[in-house]
């Protein structure tokens, strides 16, 4: 006679199934398309277990089958499995000094819809601004033809963020103090989806570290430096950003490059962003926009050239210290720093070569990010989706009996 499983055994089987589902999802999202047989080889699970788990993932809208191609062993056609398109979306929100952005991205990494609004948020009311960008996201969701469900919301902000509590602690360039950002955005979405709040540079760095949700890029270890009005940065190791104990790591923009320099928005003197930040750089060059700065540089304007050289020098000082401390040799420049990388490089490279101790053995590499005015919105959406990939069992409504064994 078959004995029923004890409660402890049932809990064990349930937990084993959750772990195995996550293992299969990691394999499918890291490299696709894969057949069930290929997933079994990569994970060490039996083919029958993988088949049942994949069926659950298909039913839950996390993965999808393509048309059979070739043979998948023993003469049977192999059925490629890929991340599902248009079933679940991550909502990426970004509020920065000069713009707001919303980007909807599905599990395949496709941009379903997006909207960017140019606006000066300096000194704005945080509750009103966050409610407005949330409303923009809801309108975008309502206006698309997709029937995808919202997996989660990511919110990128330019300041010091308590990632555990979802609070913005300080954003000097916005003029915002302690703001319960996750609570405000969650209320706007009805409180039924998780909201992940992070620093804009951290989320932007995720777009460099990922080709799509769960799929690492070739850049696995680098320092991302984001340039807008302020300057932020994020350290990425093993394709994951290093947040630090409190989630505050990466404030390169507030490294001192001149103790007697200008007063920064944070209250200190001589921070990097007082020289290389976009607003400071434009003021020093006597221009109003990036386009005007580039035109002046092309025309050989001495004031503009001197301003960029000073910015490259200051950036070199700050990055040299960071690279020496972190043992990182790749720097990715985003925002206006990425756009000006060719003009910054002569002075910046000179400083890095002189000051980075490991440069004779592993010369620092500086790479511009492909121009995207709101990479943090993309990263915020990816972060929201990766919550699904970490715990796929919670997003599947049709469990498969007996899918826990290996």
């Amino acid at each position: 006679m078959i004995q029923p499983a004890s409660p402890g055994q049932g809990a064990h089987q349930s937990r084993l199934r959750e772990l195995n589902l996550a293992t299969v999802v990691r394999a499918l999202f890291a490299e696709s398309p894969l057949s069930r047989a290929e997933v079994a080889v990569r994970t060490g699970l039996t083919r029958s277990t993988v088949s049942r788990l994949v069926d659950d993932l298909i039913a839950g809208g996390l993965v999808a089958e393509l048309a059979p191609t070739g043979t998948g062993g023993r003469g049977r056609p192999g059925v490629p499995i890929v991340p599902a398109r248009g079933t679940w979306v991550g909502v990426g929100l970004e509020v920065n000094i000069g713009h707001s952005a919303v980007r909807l991205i599905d599990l395949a990494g496709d941009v379903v819809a997006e909207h960017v609004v140019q606006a000066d948020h300096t000194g704005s009311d945080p509750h009103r601004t966050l409610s407005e960008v949330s409303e923009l996201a809801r309108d975008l969701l309502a206006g698309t033809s997709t029937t995808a469900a919202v997996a989660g919301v990511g919110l990128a902000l330019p300041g010091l963020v308590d990632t555990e509590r979802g609070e913005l602690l300080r954003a000097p360039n916005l003029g915002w103090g302690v703001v319960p950002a996750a609570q405000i955005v969650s209320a706007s979405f009805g409180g039924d989806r998780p909201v992940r709040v992070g620093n804009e540079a951290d989320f932007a760095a995720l777009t460099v570290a990922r080709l799509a949700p769960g799929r690492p890029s070739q850049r696995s270890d680098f320092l991302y430096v984001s340039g807008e009005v302020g300057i932020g940065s994020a350290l990425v190791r093993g394709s994951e950003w290093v947040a630090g104990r409190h989630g505050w790591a990466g404030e390169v923009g507030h490294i001192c490059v001149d103790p007697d320099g200008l007063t920064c928005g944070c209250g200190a003197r001589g921070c990097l962003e007082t020289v290389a930040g976009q607003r400071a750089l434009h003021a020093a060059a006597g221009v109003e926009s990036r386009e005007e700065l580039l035109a002046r540089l092309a025309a050989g304007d001495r004031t503009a050239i001197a301003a960029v050289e000073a910015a490259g020098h200051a950036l070199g000082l700050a990055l040299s210290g960071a690279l020496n401390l972190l043992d990182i040799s790749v720097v990715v420049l985003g925002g206006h720093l990425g756009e000006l990388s060719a003009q910054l490089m002569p002075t910046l490279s000179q400083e890095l070569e002189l000051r980075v101790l490991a440069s004779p053995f592993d010369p620092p590499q500086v790479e511009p990010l492909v121009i995207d005015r709101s990479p943090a919105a993309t990263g915020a959406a990816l972060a929201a989706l990766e919550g699904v990939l970490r715990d796929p069992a919670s997003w599947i409504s049709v469990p498969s009996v007996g899918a826990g064994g290996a």
Side-chain angles (χ1 to χ4, degrees), residues 1 35 97 152 160 170 185 231 291 293 299 312 378:
M1 184 175 71
S35 68
I97 290 86
L160 206 61
R170 188 181 186 195
V185 172
I231 293 178
E291 293 74 19
L293 176 58
T378 298

Side-chain angles (χ1 to χ4, degrees), residues 87-91 141 148-153 189 192-194 395:
T87 54
W88 293 93
V89 294
V91 179
L141 284 163
V150 175
V153 181
F189 279 88
D192 60 348
R193 283 292 177 261
W395 301 85

Side-chain angles (χ1 to χ4, degrees), residues 155-362:
L155 171 63
L157 295 171
L160 206 61
V161 174
D162 184 332
T163 55
E164 292 293 325
R165 298 171 64 89
E167 290 184 347
L168 174 72
L169 301 178
R170 188 181 186 195
N173 290 311
L174 286 176
W176 293 4
V178 177
V179 179
Q183 179 181 333
I184 295 170
V185 172
S186 180
S188 298
F189 279 88
D192 60 348
R193 283 292 177 261
V195 177
R196 184 173 180 180
V197 183
N199 176 268
E200 60 90 16
D202 289 344
F203 280 143
L206 193 58
T207 68
V208 181
R210 296 282 186 278
L211 298 175
R215 177 170 293 189
S217 72
Q218 292 182 339
R219 296 186 181 106
S220 60
D221 298 87
F222 60 90
L223 181 66
Y224 174 77
V225 183
S226 164
E228 207 190 61
V229 172
I231 293 178
S233 68
L235 173 63
V236 174
R237 287 192 185 276
S239 299
E240 301 291 340
W241 80 66
V242 180
R245 179 182 175 188
H246 299 97
W248 304 343
E251 293 296 331
V252 168
H254 297 285
I255 290 178
C256 181
V257 295
D258 181 4
D260 298 318
L262 299 174
T263 301
C264 180
C266 72
R269 281 188 173 274
C271 293
L272 172 62
E273 66 180 48
T274 66
V275 183
Q278 180 175 268
R279 187 175 292 165
L281 183 55
H282 288 179
V287 300
E288 298 292 332
S289 67
R290 299 185 196 185
E291 293 74 19
E292 186 181 356
L293 176 58
L294 290 170
R296 293 277 190 92
L297 291 170
D301 182 271
R302 292 185 178 181
T303 301
I305 291 172
V308 170
E309 287 179 346
H313 170 72
L315 189 60
L317 289 176
L319 291 182
S320 296
L323 298 186
N324 283 333
L325 180 65
L326 300 172
D327 187 21
I328 286 285
S329 59
V330 177
V331 177
V332 178
L333 297 179
H336 77 280
L337 298 177
E339 292 185 6
L340 291 170
S341 60
Q343 292 83 3
L344 291 166
M345 280 306 298
T347 309
L348 173 57
S349 296
Q350 184 178 7
E351 292 295 337
L352 293 178
E353 183 179 352
L354 174 66
R355 299 178 184 279
V356 176
L357 293 176
S359 61
F361 315 101
D362 188 11

